[in-house]
Amino acid sequence: MTQRSPSSSTNTSASADTATPRKGSLAALKGLLPFLLPYRRQFVLAGIALLFAAGATLAIPAAFKQMIDLGFGAQAGAHSIKHVDATFLALFGVAAVLGVATAARFYMVSWLGERVTADIRSAVYRHVVHQSPEFFETTQTGEVLSRLTTDTTLIQAVVGTSISLALRNTLLFVGGLVMLFVTSAKLTAIILALLVLVIVPIVLFGRRVRKLSRDSQDRIADASALAGEILNAMPTVQAFTHEKIEAERFGSSVEGAFAAAMQRIRARSLLTMLAIVLVFGTIVFVLWLGAHAVLEGTMTGGDLGQFILYASIVAGSIGALAEVMGEAQRAAGATERLLELLAARSDIRNPAHPRALPARSSNGAALALHDLTFAYPSRQDTAALSHVSLAIRPGETVAVVGPSGAGKTTLFQLLLRYYDPQSGAITLDGVDIRDLDLHTLRGAIGIVPQDTVIFSADAMENIRYGRPEATDEEVIAAAKLAAAHEFIERLPQGYWSFLGERGVRLSGGQRQRIAIARALLKNPPLLLLDEATSALDAESERLVQGALEAAMVGRTTVIIAHRLATVQRADRIVVMEDGRVVETGTHASLVAMKGIYANLAALQFHNVHVEH
């Protein structure tokens, strides 16, 4: 299983929180209590049904005793037929109570299993989507999906079945044991003495089953993570003809999961065999003693029959408890994994007392970077930004250029507060962004990323993602502004055409224009464009460039771009290298400086004439 980075202080606390339950066999299941407590009423109703069902089950042997002794034994007389009739009538009544109570118990615990599982899935997903990008640097999405599906299914089995069976069989065990003492204290004492010797090896072996269960779940998560990664990269896999290699890699991962599962299954099989043979062997021995007692006249036939039935109930409850224990141990491992997700705490949090942004001006937002220094948590020894300072006026358009790895995209991630800098600050309209509610901050920023994200929905909903409450007319207006209206209209169902998973039915340029329309619909005071025209052909670029120029009016814009047309139109160009701002100026002044920008222009924009 993928582990989170040890460099994060939150990881340390998370591991500390989850390390303790692993020492106890089932202690991790205590983590389910917050999800169970809201449904106390349903638990009480299930408990009442459980008590009636257990009571009815324990009444059956007593009825058989009466039937044997009064109907067929030495005590039988002229009224034996009446006794038999009454006994069977009572048995039918007990069966009716047992049937109704069992059905009620099954319904209530099944409802609880489904309800609690749904709550856990929602809670884990809600928690994960609020994590910072640092979490996703070290946790694979396939692993998270495995925990949301496979692990929660195991918990559903425990809450919806195993807890009920455990309580039912515990009641039957205790009740049966009491009735065994009532029937024959001597034989019961012998059984208990032998069972103590039997249970010790069963408990010790059960601990190994629990460890193997967790290992098995980890291997399944690894296989799911691998499959998710490859399925999301199928065009690349096929372009490099790696289908066979990836199929073999997944096959190896599946075989590893199968091998781990077989280890668990073998261990559980041996545990079940051990429990049944030892427990029933003990009971058979004691019943042999009872048979001799009947022959000697110290017990009645009814007493022995009653003892046999109660012994069977006790033995069956022990076997069922051993089976439930195996399921509970698997669920304990699954619970640990889910609690690890819920224990993860993002370093990026809302302030306790967030400030408000000033009233929006008609010219956009003022943005300032004050001596920023930042290194990614997974690469703390390498500074992505070093002492970066920059002031951007409301309505100004600033282009950020530089070679790959210069820190341009990192700048955008800090502006959106995906990370916080190790030193320095960023202010938006004079307010430190760390003092803003995250939704307030990100609501004031529109971004068109280089890697466009298209959701499995129609064009209308993909654009409306920028502002969910927008009307259809506003969506269409944004699409027109982004030069996307014409190609959307040509789709089979127009704006209601399904775009496919990750937008596979669109070209790269079309996906980019959908993303631009989404950002324009949001209508933010600060617009971030990360290579917004990189995927466009010359004609589309011309259309989108005109749309972007119109969109930049009345808002502050920061552009990461290599295209000369975009850079030339910027009010100011900031050149970055190795995480530092090395040059600032207009296109003409920077070319005249004959520095880094002039070299970039000469290399990347071949139509630029650099004077020597």
Side-chain angles (χ1 to χ4, degrees):
M1 186 181 68
T2 306
Q3 299 294 327
R4 297 192 65 212
S5 170
S7 60
S8 171
S9 61
T10 56
N11 298 340
T12 304
S13 63
S15 61
D17 291 341
T18 54
T20 303
R22 294 178 192 169
K23 296 177 182 177
S25 59
L26 300 175
L29 292 176
K30 292 179 181 176
L32 296 178
L33 284 176
F35 298 98
L36 298 174
L37 289 176
Y39 306 109
R40 297 182 190 88
R41 177 173 172 271
Q42 286 79 4
F43 269 105
V44 170
L45 292 175
I48 292 171
L50 184 63
L51 287 172
F52 273 98
T57 302
L58 292 170
I60 291 173
F64 270 93
K65 175 188 181 318
Q66 294 296 317
M67 181 185 69
I68 293 170
D69 284 345
L70 299 178
F72 307 113
Q75 304 174 32
H79 301 292
S80 59
I81 294 178
K82 292 182 179 179
H83 287 304
V84 170
D85 292 344
T87 300
F88 275 96
L89 188 62
L91 274 175
F92 177 77
V94 169
V97 171
L98 180 61
V100 172
T102 301
R105 175 187 62 83
F106 172 78
Y107 175 82
M108 292 308 304
V109 297
S110 297
W111 184 92
L112 283 166
E114 296 289 347
R115 180 68 268 165
V116 169
T117 303
D119 290 349
I120 291 173
R121 283 179 176 147
S122 295
V124 172
Y125 189 78
R126 191 183 306 114
H127 185 74
V128 167
V129 297
H130 283 88
Q131 295 302 303
S132 67
E134 177 191 347
F135 174 85
F136 297 99
E137 278 186 33
T138 51
T139 304
Q140 293 175 298
T141 54
E143 182 185 341
V144 174
L145 292 175
S146 171
R147 298 189 191 192
L148 281 171
T149 53
T150 307
D151 290 354
T152 50
T153 300
L154 289 175
I155 291 172
Q156 178 182 349
V158 167
V159 176
T161 305
S162 299
I163 290 178
S164 170
L165 288 178
L167 292 173
R168 173 180 179 272
N169 285 286
T170 299
L171 286 174
L172 292 179
F173 174 77
V174 173
L177 204 57
V178 170
M179 293 306 297
L180 284 176
F181 268 108
V182 170
T183 308
S184 175
K186 177 184 174 182
L187 293 182
T188 305
I190 295 172
I191 280 186
L192 290 180
L194 293 174
L195 283 179
V196 169
L197 298 175
V198 165
I199 288 173
V200 171
I202 293 175
V203 170
L204 293 176
F205 200 75
R207 291 180 179 177
R208 172 169 168 77
V209 173
R210 178 176 175 275
K211 179 180 182 300
L212 292 174
S213 295
R214 183 175 175 86
D215 291 343
S216 175
Q217 288 304 113
D218 287 346
R219 299 291 76 76
I220 293 171
D222 290 342
S224 297
L226 178 62
E229 179 182 9
I230 299 307
L231 290 175
N232 284 329
M234 280 311 298
T236 303
V237 171
Q238 293 174 349
F240 286 89
T241 64
H242 273 224
E243 296 93 336
K244 183 179 179 182
I245 294 173
E246 296 301 343
E248 289 174 353
R249 277 183 66 202
F250 182 71
S252 298
S253 183
V254 169
E255 287 302 314
F258 173 75
M262 289 310 300
Q263 274 191 296
R264 170 181 56 79
I265 291 169
R266 280 192 293 269
R268 283 196 62 193
S269 300
L270 288 173
L271 178 62
T272 303
M273 181 192 72
L274 194 67
I276 291 174
V277 171
L278 292 179
V279 171
F280 275 90
T282 299
I283 291 172
V284 168
F285 171 71
V286 173
L287 293 182
W288 174 76
L289 295 177
H292 277 268
V294 172
L295 294 174
E296 294 168 0
T298 57
M299 286 183 74
T300 68
D303 285 334
L304 181 59
Q306 177 174 289
F307 192 89
I308 290 172
L309 288 175
Y310 280 126
S312 300
I313 289 173
V314 170
S317 65
I318 292 174
L321 284 171
E323 184 73 18
V324 168
M325 187 67 71
E327 291 295 331
Q329 285 168 341
R330 290 188 69 195
T335 301
E336 286 173 1
R337 291 153 52 83
L338 287 166
L339 291 178
E340 284 175 0
L341 279 183
L342 288 172
R345 291 290 176 265
S346 174
D347 289 333
I348 307 301
R349 303 178 190 176
N350 281 321
H353 304 287
R355 295 176 59 185
L357 281 173
R360 178 175 176 178
S361 71
S362 59
N363 294 326
L367 182 66
L369 285 56
H370 306 277
D371 197 28
L372 286 185
T373 296
F374 172 74
Y376 285 98
S378 57
R379 305 187 298 275
Q380 291 191 344
D381 55 342
T382 305
L385 294 177
S386 183
H387 302 288
V388 174
S389 295
L390 183 65
I392 302 175
R393 299 182 302 275
E396 188 177 12
T397 298
V398 174
V400 182
V401 301
S404 296
K408 305 184 298 295
T409 300
T410 299
L411 200 61
F412 277 20
Q413 291 182 321
L414 293 181
L415 292 176
L416 286 159
R417 209 181 162 216
Y418 292 156
Y419 301 91
D420 281 337
Q422 278 78 31
S423 64
I426 301 173
T427 59
L428 186 66
D429 283 335
V431 181
D432 191 321
I433 63 171
R434 286 172 292 198
D435 295 331
L436 293 171
D437 181 271
L438 288 172
H439 285 101
T440 300
L441 169 65
R442 293 168 185 168
I445 300 174
I447 183 168
V448 181
Q450 184 174 6
D451 298 322
T452 303
V453 175
I454 301 295
F455 298 97
S456 297
D458 57 39
M460 180 69 73
E461 291 309 310
N462 262 285
I463 297 175
R464 207 195 307 272
Y465 201 84
R467 185 156 52 88
E469 70 277 9
T471 64
D472 291 354
E473 291 73 20
E474 289 173 321
V475 170
I476 294 171
K480 289 178 177 178
L481 197 60
H485 178 71
E486 290 186 10
F487 83 78
I488 293 175
E489 285 281 87
R490 290 196 296 270
L491 294 174
Q493 284 84 41
Y495 279 86
W496 288 269
S497 298
F498 179 66
L499 302 183
E501 187 176 5
R502 302 190 310 279
V504 293
R505 298 184 179 182
L506 301 179
S507 69
Q510 290 172 334
R511 288 197 295 270
Q512 201 79 349
R513 279 180 275 172
I514 291 283
I516 292 170
R518 184 187 296 160
L520 295 178
L521 180 65
K522 190 176 183 181
N523 192 28
L526 176 60
L527 186 63
L528 307 180
L529 306 177
D530 187 358
E531 296 284 4
T533 59
S534 62
L536 306 180
D537 54 44
E539 177 61 22
S540 295
E541 182 185 5
R542 183 185 64 80
L543 293 170
V544 173
Q545 195 61 52
L548 288 175
E549 287 178 16
M552 291 174 192
V553 175
R555 57 175 53 89
T556 305
T557 308
V558 183
I559 306 169
I560 294 175
H562 291 147
R563 297 287 183 99
L564 179 60
T566 305
V567 172
Q568 279 183 318
R569 288 176 171 83
D571 299 318
R572 189 162 33 126
I573 300 170
V574 174
V575 184
M576 296 187 68
E577 186 178 46
D578 295 329
R580 297 176 180 271
V581 174
V582 292
E583 295 175 1
T584 304
T586 62
H587 171 73
S589 66
L590 290 174
V591 169
M593 288 171 62
K594 300 180 182 179
I596 293 174
Y597 180 82
N599 291 332
L600 287 173
L603 290 170
Q604 300 175 23
F605 315 128
H606 299 295
N607 58 335
V608 175
H609 174 69
V610 181
E611 299 179 1
H612 296 284

